Amino acid sequence: MNRRRSCWLVAIQVAWSLPSPSAFQTINHRRGQTRARSKPLFRRIRDDASIVAYNQDYLVGTLGFSEEKLQKNTSKRILTLENGVLEERVNWLKQRLHLKRHEINKMVQSHPGILSQRSDTNLITKLDYLQTRLHLDEKCLRKIILGAPFILSSSTRENLIPKLDYLQRRLSLDDVSLRKIIVVAPNTLGFSIEDNLVPKLDWLQQRLMLSNERLAKIITRLPTILQYSIKGNIEPKLDWL
């Protein structure tokens, strides 16, 4: 009798120490939540890998990227764009600038950052600004971008506007003269104002003893001089003369 009573007491103590059925439900529920949360993570990793693979195939197969360029010059930001985004941006540029396949391929291979620009906000705003500011027709706009594709990935506010303003102010240019300089020498927009344009114009003016008016005429007639190096090109030629 005592032995039976002790067995019942042990059974009661064990039962009392066990979690309640509701506790088991809570534990199972939490485990289910953990599994539910883990599934999207694995799915997201798998989806990201498939997106990268899709974009890599497009860059290599359609845009002509070599494997070396793909690894060196292509940012993760471009590779992880949703499927179809790269095609949309490339097609938009081809239509907007009347580009042939080899032209757009060369452009994005040399400046892949172009592909990170949204066509509906960034690219369209930039091209519209250039066309309006410089009074460009479609042919001249196309020529500028083909000559200096980096413009498409440059900041309008921090790069294009300050440089155009500086050139027009420094040389007292009218809109026609400013347009001519940029159409003929679009790479000028890639040079630093402080480190390149200011010292170059000052050097030319002092070296040739030019008035502001004469300096402006020379630059307007020969805009490509702004793209030359003083020590590597301009100075040796003037010394030879």
Side-chain angles (χ1 to χ4, degrees), residues 48-49 51-52 55 75-83 86:
D48 287 348
I51 288 172
V52 170
N55 286 330
S75 69
K76 184 179 179 181
R77 181 180 178 185
I78 295 172
L79 292 176
T80 54
L81 290 171
E82 292 293 330
N83 292 353
L86 289 179

Side-chain angles (χ1 to χ4, degrees), residues 78-114:
I78 295 172
L79 292 176
T80 54
L81 290 171
E82 292 293 330
N83 292 353
V85 173
L86 289 179
E87 291 95 321
E88 183 274 327
R89 293 177 183 178
V90 168
N91 290 334
W92 187 89
L93 281 171
K94 286 171 66 177
Q95 294 176 8
R96 179 66 178 83
L97 297 171
H98 312 289
L99 300 174
K100 298 177 182 178
R101 180 174 179 177
H102 74 275
E103 291 172 331
I104 186 67
N105 286 8
K106 182 179 179 180
M107 182 186 298
V108 297
Q109 285 177 34
S110 61
H111 298 85
I114 293 171

Side-chain angles (χ1 to χ4, degrees), residues 51-72 74 78-79 86-87 90 101 105-106 108-109 112 115:
I51 288 172
V52 170
Y54 178 90
N55 286 330
Q56 286 177 332
D57 288 343
Y58 177 72
L59 290 169
V60 173
T62 303
L63 299 181
F65 276 69
S66 65
E67 292 293 340
E68 183 180 2
K69 283 186 177 180
L70 193 65
Q71 297 300 325
K72 283 186 177 182
T74 309
I78 295 172
L79 292 176
L86 289 179
E87 291 95 321
V90 168
R101 180 174 179 177
N105 286 8
K106 182 179 179 180
V108 297
Q109 285 177 34
L115 297 173

Side-chain angles (χ1 to χ4, degrees), residues 142-172:
R142 181 179 184 277
K143 182 178 179 181
I144 288 175
I145 300 302
L146 284 175
F150 65 84
I151 289 174
L152 292 177
S153 53
S154 300
S155 167
T156 301
R157 180 176 297 178
E158 298 176 6
N159 190 308
L160 302 181
I161 294 176
K163 290 173 184 177
L164 291 173
D165 286 347
Y166 169 75
L167 288 171
Q168 192 159 32
R169 182 177 64 254
R170 174 66 174 85
L171 299 172
S172 301

Side-chain angles (χ1 to χ4, degrees), residues 6 45 72 80 114 126 128 134 186 211:
S6 62
I45 293 174
K72 283 186 177 182
T80 54
I114 293 171
K126 198 168 298 176
D128 286 349
L134 299 175
S211 64

Side-chain angles (χ1 to χ4, degrees), residues 187-239:
N187 282 305
T188 302
L189 294 176
F191 298 135
S192 165
I193 295 176
E194 295 79 9
D195 299 334
N196 191 295
L197 296 178
V198 170
K200 187 175 294 179
L201 291 173
D202 289 348
W203 185 89
L204 283 170
Q205 190 166 23
Q206 294 171 12
R207 179 68 168 76
L208 300 176
M209 295 181 288
L210 300 171
S211 64
N212 289 337
E213 184 179 357
R214 289 292 298 167
L215 177 64
K217 285 184 179 181
I218 288 178
I219 299 301
T220 304
R221 291 178 182 177
L222 188 62
T224 52
I225 198 171
L226 291 174
Q227 300 179 155
Y228 298 152
S229 164
I230 293 176
K231 292 185 177 180
N233 192 303
I234 303 174
E235 189 172 19
K237 290 180 179 178
L238 290 176
D239 289 343

